[in-house]
Amino acid sequence: MAKMLYSVTMSLDGFIAGHGGDMSWLTEHIGPNPTVAEFIPQIGALLVGNRTFGGDDPHRGTEKEGKPFGGGWSGPQFILTHNAPATAVPGVTFVGDLDSGVTAAKAAAGDKYVNILGAEVARQCLEAGVLDELLVFIAPVLLGDGVRLFDHPGGTNIKLERLSLTHAPSATNLWLRVVS
């Protein structure tokens, strides 16, 4: 059965996107990373937030723009939104609620990972108790403002267990399991 995993690159100060959702900071930190190369083939489906799906792209202006992992992965994508576009997007299914999105993505992923893209969807999955793991690529940069990896007004205490810690020239890779 598919596991739900939130994978994301984060600045050292905890931001996954810059001010206003800017992703241009990430471009210089995309580079050879054996953990990424090993992980991508393990993805069976994507569950993506609508802001992430329609947002900024670190590959903007290149042939990789708009493609998951810069074209390094292809497969079924499920976009969580209350406002699906009138025109169909090939390979993309728009879902209106978290439960149906998780169910559809898990069915499509089979025994591989459902990779979550988007901080809000990841937060919703965590709060619903369906997030299994996090894979955080920590880039050596400080952004100072932007979209946080995890934001929970008033705070919370989510317990995590480290599964692995590896290093690459472009990032430190931290793989964690959510402890129930």
Side-chain angles (χ1 to χ4, degrees), residues 121-171:
V121 174
R123 183 193 60 76
Q124 289 178 42
C125 287
L126 189 57
E127 289 178 355
V130 297
L131 183 64
D132 297 301
E133 298 175 11
L134 290 90
L135 176 55
V136 182
F137 306 103
I138 304 167
V141 64
L142 299 171
L143 297 179
D145 190 15
V147 177
R148 292 199 170 280
L149 170 77
F150 177 70
D151 196 13
H152 187 93
T156 189
N157 188 355
I158 307 295
K159 300 218 183 299
L160 305 171
E161 174 186 35
R162 186 177 72 206
L163 298 176
S164 71
L165 174 65
T166 58
H167 303 281
S170 60

Side-chain angles (χ1 to χ4, degrees), residues 11-28:
S11 66
L12 185 59
D13 54 348
F15 297 101
I16 64 168
H19 182 72
D22 175 45
M23 293 300 293
S24 63
W25 71 273
L26 183 55
T27 305
E28 69 180 280

Side-chain angles (χ1 to χ4, degrees), residues 62-126:
T62 73
E63 71 280 353
K64 296 179 177 186
E65 184 174 0
K67 299 174 183 172
F69 297 94
W73 180 87
S74 64
Q77 299 179 55
F78 299 87
I79 312 306
L80 190 59
T81 182
H82 296 294
N83 301 304
T87 306
V89 178
V92 174
T93 302
F94 294 91
V95 292
D97 65 272
L98 183 66
D99 289 339
S100 62
V102 167
T103 299
K106 279 186 154 189
D111 62 353
K112 293 185 173 187
Y113 281 106
V114 172
N115 190 63
I116 299 164
L117 300 177
E120 180 60 21
V121 174
R123 183 193 60 76
Q124 289 178 42
C125 287
L126 189 57

